[in-house]
Amino acid sequence: MDLWGVYLFHLVFFALQVVLSAGRDCLVAGDSCSSDETCSPRLRTLRQCVAGNGSMKLGPGARSQCANAVSALLSSPLHGCQCKRGMKKEKNCLSIYWSLHQSVIHGLNLVESYPYEAMERDYDYVRLASITADSEAGMVTVNRCLDAAKACNVDDLCQKLRTEYVSACIKPSAKSGLCNKAKCNKALRRFFDRIPPDYTHELLFCPCTDTACAERRRQTIVPGCSFEGSEKPSCLTQMRICKADYVCRSRLAQFQYDCQPAESSANGCKQGNYGACLLAYTGLIGSSITPNYVDNSTSSVAPWCSCSASGNQREECSDFLEYFTDNVCLILLL
């Protein structure tokens, strides 16, 4: 890389680190910037600076223009803007966020942050993270999965949205005879974005002692329509599809941050937060990398993809897949 590339890398990397502090809504910040005669052109310039070879279009003065754009935007309404997971116009909000947080600058990968605000409600993370614990020896066992389903059915909104995604995920298309995967995934995202973890986590992670229960859990909460296909695609392909979509890219970035493993941590999670990892995991359901239990005999989870044909990118592919299959932070929760 030439000196210009190194300079631009450090310049924008610095901007990305500083830009995370304020936490205002990106939609509001975007509207404010677009109506400001100084902010709007600076944002367009920065997009060219970070969009591959876009800086080439800026001509000989690119270095100065990029520096000025970064400096101006750090004091603009876009400084530190964030989005709420599941918010109305979420994709629009995320498009504004990622315009300032590109992951690849002149071929260099940055560690991506994620754009979501912290959940406002203080969930009982200890309880949610331990719901898969087996009953104490000698006690009469209960069917936690059945209890979770009953609890959801008693709550009007939980029952309504669960019925919607079950219907969307089993109804065959008149043209293909198969379910509409896009419609199924949309309904799943709506369910997990709008229903509190008190219900969704009980359904997702309830313990099973026999294969019939495990298969029912696997097919009920994440239907095969949203998850499986006739053949497993490459995980690299699924990652590329995910990163091309603002919502999926954001959910993946959050998952990789909140579920980052650390052997030295008491609970296996670098961030030390069971609940945050569980919430990040559920945020992936309904995306191109929807995770699910891989069979009905274990608690192993993974997206429906393979690294068998990844060639010289095998390490990158394996790193992605092992975030699900060999992640001490996640495994201790399941």
Side-chain angles (χ1 to χ4, degrees):
M1 178 182 294
D2 59 19
L3 291 177
W4 154 245
V6 173
Y7 173 82
L8 182 58
F9 167 76
H10 286 292
L11 179 68
V12 180
F13 180 77
F14 170 76
L16 300 188
Q17 297 303 305
V18 178
V19 83
L20 296 174
S21 60
R24 61 173 60 88
D25 189 308
C26 287
L27 285 175
V28 175
D31 288 342
S32 179
C33 182
S34 296
S35 62
D36 184 276
E37 61 182 14
T38 300
C39 183
S40 183
R42 296 300 188 186
L43 180 58
R44 289 197 299 271
T45 298
L46 183 61
R47 283 173 171 164
Q48 288 185 298
C49 293
V50 299
N53 293 324
S55 58
M56 299 293 289
K57 299 178 181 178
L58 298 175
R63 180 170 180 169
S64 176
Q65 291 182 61
C66 290
N68 290 338
V70 169
S71 178
L73 290 173
L74 287 178
S75 58
S76 79
L78 290 168
H79 180 177
C81 75
Q82 292 178 306
C83 305
K84 291 181 180 178
R85 198 172 102 178
M87 68 184 289
K88 188 177 181 180
K89 296 184 178 180
E90 180 181 0
K91 184 169 286 190
N92 292 346
C93 183
L94 294 173
S95 70
I96 295 169
Y97 175 89
W98 286 114
S99 70
L100 284 134
H101 295 73
Q102 299 300 320
S103 62
V104 179
I105 301 174
H106 288 276
L108 293 180
N109 289 319
L110 299 181
V111 177
E112 291 185 348
S113 55
Y114 63 89
Y116 296 118
E117 297 177 4
M119 290 287 187
E120 293 180 3
R121 180 179 170 187
D122 185 19
Y123 292 108
D124 185 354
Y125 288 138
V126 175
R127 182 184 69 81
L128 292 175
S130 63
I131 59 179
T132 59
D134 293 331
S135 300
E136 294 182 15
M139 295 182 65
V140 177
T141 58
V142 295
N143 189 329
R144 296 281 290 277
C145 293
L146 185 58
D147 287 347
K150 288 179 179 178
C152 179
N153 288 336
V154 170
D155 182 89
D156 290 342
L157 183 60
C158 189
Q159 180 188 42
K160 177 178 181 290
L161 296 186
R162 185 164 177 248
T163 300
E164 283 183 7
Y165 86 68
V166 170
S167 176
C169 295
I170 64 174
K171 187 176 181 180
S173 165
K175 182 180 294 186
S176 66
L178 303 173
C179 82
N180 186 323
K181 180 168 285 191
K183 187 175 181 180
C184 171
N185 282 332
K186 183 178 180 180
L188 272 172
R189 288 195 302 273
R190 178 174 159 85
F191 177 77
F192 282 102
D193 285 346
R194 295 194 59 187
I195 301 301
D198 306 66
Y199 294 110
T200 60
H201 287 189
E202 291 280 1
L203 286 165
L204 266 177
F205 308 117
C206 59
C208 282
T209 57
D210 60 78
T211 56
C213 171
E215 184 60 20
R216 181 175 180 272
R217 173 184 64 182
R218 193 172 82 96
Q219 290 292 340
T220 300
I221 193 63
V222 183
C225 170
S226 72
F227 177 66
E228 299 177 344
S230 56
E231 294 182 2
K232 284 189 176 182
S234 165
C235 290
L236 293 173
T237 299
Q238 298 306 97
M239 271 199 297
R240 282 193 290 270
I241 293 172
C242 179
K243 291 198 172 187
D245 177 86
Y246 288 126
V247 175
C248 187
R249 177 180 182 176
S250 301
R251 304 293 175 92
L252 176 59
Q254 182 181 26
F255 171 70
Q256 291 177 326
Y257 178 84
D258 286 331
C259 294
Q260 188 174 357
E263 297 285 352
S264 59
S265 173
N267 57 23
C269 302
K270 184 175 181 179
Q271 310 308 329
N273 192 329
Y274 276 132
C277 179
L278 288 175
L279 286 170
Y281 175 89
T282 60
L284 292 173
I285 296 174
S287 72
S288 61
I289 53 174
T290 293
N292 196 7
Y293 296 98
V294 298
D295 54 43
N296 57 20
S297 60
T298 69
S299 292
S300 300
V301 297
W304 183 258
C305 64
S306 167
C307 289
S308 59
S310 51
N312 59 5
Q313 293 179 289
R314 184 61 180 256
E315 184 176 355
E316 178 186 354
C317 186
S318 296
D319 286 346
F320 167 77
L321 196 54
E322 287 173 3
Y323 234 88
F324 298 89
T325 62
D326 192 26
N327 182 338
V328 64
C329 176
L330 187 62
I331 289 173
L332 288 176
L333 304 179
L334 302 175

